[in-house]
Amino acid sequence: MFYGVDPLDPYRQAAGYVDRILRGEKPADLPVQQPVKFELVINMKTAKALGLTVPLTLQVAADEVIE
């Protein structure tokens, strides 16, 4: 099971920073940004191999369920 930042989101945010810097803003004046998109991924094959039961409500709430 993985709950964390969308792996592509930091790259998208970095593109915004690069754009602003190339337009003339000073890097020191740019705000620090926090991730805004998180995802939940459940690997059911691994859970089964470990003998774990993942509740259906958690499976429904997951962004991705790997069979």
Side-chain angles (χ1 to χ4, degrees):
M1 197 164 26
F2 167 77
Y3 181 72
V5 177
D6 176 13
L8 296 178
D9 196 44
Y11 295 107
R12 290 183 193 113
Q13 288 182 350
Y17 277 112
V18 170
D19 179 55
R20 291 173 73 173
I21 291 169
L22 292 176
R23 290 177 190 258
E25 288 191 51
K26 294 180 182 178
D29 295 337
L30 296 176
V32 175
Q33 294 182 349
Q34 295 286 333
V36 292
K37 183 177 180 186
F38 294 87
E39 65 181 14
L40 174 63
V41 179
I42 301 172
N43 189 328
M44 295 301 293
K45 184 177 180 181
T46 302
K48 184 178 178 182
L50 294 172
L52 301 173
T53 304
V54 179
L56 185 58
T57 54
L58 192 57
Q59 292 178 36
V60 171
D63 295 303
E64 183 178 351
V65 176
I66 301 170
E67 295 294 332

